[in-house]
Amino acid sequence: MAFNGLCTSQLRNLAAGSPFSVSCQSKVFSLLLPNVAVRHASGAPKQNTSKDQPTKEKKKRKARTNFIRHDLKDAEQFALCDAIRYIRAFEVGRNPRSSKYEMHVTLKTLKNGPAVRNRLRLPHPVDTSQRICVICPPDSPASAAAIKAGATLVGEDVIFDAVKEGRIEFDRCVCHVDSLHKLTKAGLGRVLGPKGLMPSSKTGTVVKDVAGSVRDMVGASEYRERLGVVRMAVGQLGFTPEEMQRNIRMFMSGLKRDLAQLSDRISKEIHEVVLSSTNAPGFSLNGDFKSPTSLSSRELSVL
């Protein structure tokens, strides 16, 4: 072609004198001299918008609204007696009263849903050494009844001052209805709230019958849902399989009752029940008490 012998400046002058538009001039230079960067009137090089270099856009993942639950079809599950047998093998040499059996119930539930929480008295109490505090007038009949029921600390101002000084010498706290205004005015929510010790009507710890509440709390266990899992201690290492069975039945029936009392818009279903201990891993339960290869209850009752 005749253009092959022309230099860049001559081609530019030739295109400038033609009636072509600016876009046509750019196309001429890109065809004749592909290695030469074409500049616009502003002096900036033209951007390459070819399909060879597509822009990469990261797709935003939608946040999960529920917890991940694995399929249990291929999971190995155990009868209660088998799980107790294996757990005791991990607890060899431990104090039977210090190690405890724990239940872990995973739920099919939403992440932002309400949490299940309650207190339950098992047929065979796990811990009977709880210190219970009762906030009520010190010289009232309610205080005398609370002490008789097993309360370790009773009063109002003395307890308020001790808590403000950082001396929390109790594991559970109950407040009489007449002392609720005084408790709120003392401003102990910031101290007792994070520890789960602040009395509240929602948790049933603001009552008229403080003596009855103390009797229910002695040996009672509390469970609460966290991250879709409900956990609670259901027995000591020295409990027999029959005692464990009665405690687990009571716990599961109470949990199912709490789930049934939720609103119709809130869906919570039991997905898996796991039994573990203080120093042992968890064993998924299949709902059976014994299997054909299980040891007898008498053999499992001896430590």
Side-chain angles (χ1 to χ4, degrees), residues 5-303:
L6 298 177
C7 62
T8 305
S9 60
Q10 290 174 339
L11 288 172
R12 185 178 289 108
N13 295 333
L14 178 62
S18 64
F20 297 157
S21 61
V22 176
S23 61
C24 292
Q25 296 176 20
S26 302
K27 292 180 180 179
V28 170
F29 279 104
S30 62
L31 291 174
L32 298 177
L33 300 172
N35 296 328
V36 178
V38 180
R39 294 182 177 274
H40 296 280
S42 61
K46 183 180 178 181
Q47 299 292 333
N48 186 4
T49 58
S50 62
K51 296 181 180 180
D52 298 337
Q53 298 178 355
T55 56
K56 296 181 180 179
E57 297 180 358
K58 294 183 178 179
K59 295 182 180 180
K60 295 183 179 179
R61 294 184 178 180
K62 294 183 179 180
R64 295 185 62 91
T65 58
N66 52 3
F67 296 98
I68 298 176
R69 294 292 178 254
H70 301 287
D71 191 3
L72 299 178
K73 292 181 180 180
D74 299 330
E76 186 176 5
Q77 294 185 309
F78 303 85
L80 178 61
C81 290
D82 293 336
I84 292 175
R85 176 185 178 183
Y86 298 138
I87 288 174
R88 287 189 173 184
F90 283 92
E91 296 285 357
V92 171
R94 305 283 181 176
N95 187 351
R97 294 184 179 180
S98 62
S99 298
K100 296 178 176 58
Y101 291 105
E102 297 177 357
M103 291 289 295
H104 309 262
V105 181
T106 58
L107 304 176
K108 291 181 180 178
T109 178
L110 297 176
K111 288 186 176 181
N112 57 353
V116 179
R117 179 179 179 181
N118 205 343
R119 188 177 64 252
L120 187 66
R121 183 179 176 85
L122 298 174
H124 306 279
V126 180
D127 187 8
T128 58
S129 61
Q130 292 184 354
R131 300 169 298 175
I132 301 175
C133 167
V134 176
I135 299 176
C136 64
D139 298 330
S140 62
S143 64
I147 294 174
K148 188 176 180 180
T152 57
L153 193 61
V154 178
E156 288 180 335
D157 295 332
V158 177
I159 298 175
F160 299 157
D161 295 340
V163 171
K164 289 179 181 179
E165 294 174 1
R167 293 184 289 109
I168 302 177
E169 300 174 347
F170 51 88
D171 304 312
R172 294 287 184 271
C173 186
V174 181
C175 180
H176 194 273
V177 176
D178 297 338
S179 302
L180 181 60
H181 178 70
K182 239 182 177 182
L183 173 65
T184 306
K185 191 175 180 180
L188 303 182
R190 295 181 179 180
V191 182
L192 299 179
K195 299 180 182 296
L197 299 175
M198 186 64 182
S200 172
S201 57
K202 293 182 179 179
T203 57
T205 50
V206 177
V207 294
K208 293 182 178 180
D209 184 13
V210 292
S213 297
V214 171
R215 283 191 293 268
D216 293 338
M217 283 186 175
V218 174
S221 300
E222 185 174 349
Y223 61 86
R224 181 179 183 181
E225 175 191 353
R226 291 185 180 179
L227 300 177
V229 182
V230 180
R231 299 176 176 85
M232 192 181 79
V234 292
Q236 297 179 2
L237 194 63
F239 282 8
T240 63
E242 287 77 14
E243 292 174 340
M244 287 290 300
Q245 184 184 34
R246 287 190 285 269
N247 280 0
I248 292 174
R249 281 181 177 176
M250 178 65 72
F251 168 59
M252 294 303 298
S253 61
L255 178 59
K256 291 178 180 179
R257 184 171 56 252
D258 292 338
L259 295 179
Q261 292 176 355
L262 296 175
S263 174
D264 296 336
R265 299 180 180 179
I266 303 170
S267 176
K268 288 181 181 288
E269 299 178 1
I270 295 176
H271 175 67
E272 185 183 14
V273 179
V274 178
L275 180 66
S276 67
S277 69
T278 307
N279 301 286
F283 294 86
S284 181
L285 302 181
N286 56 13
D288 297 333
F289 180 67
K290 283 186 177 182
S291 67
T293 59
S294 298
L295 298 177
S296 63
S297 300
R298 185 176 181 181
E299 293 175 312
L300 293 174
S301 300
V302 179
L303 291 176

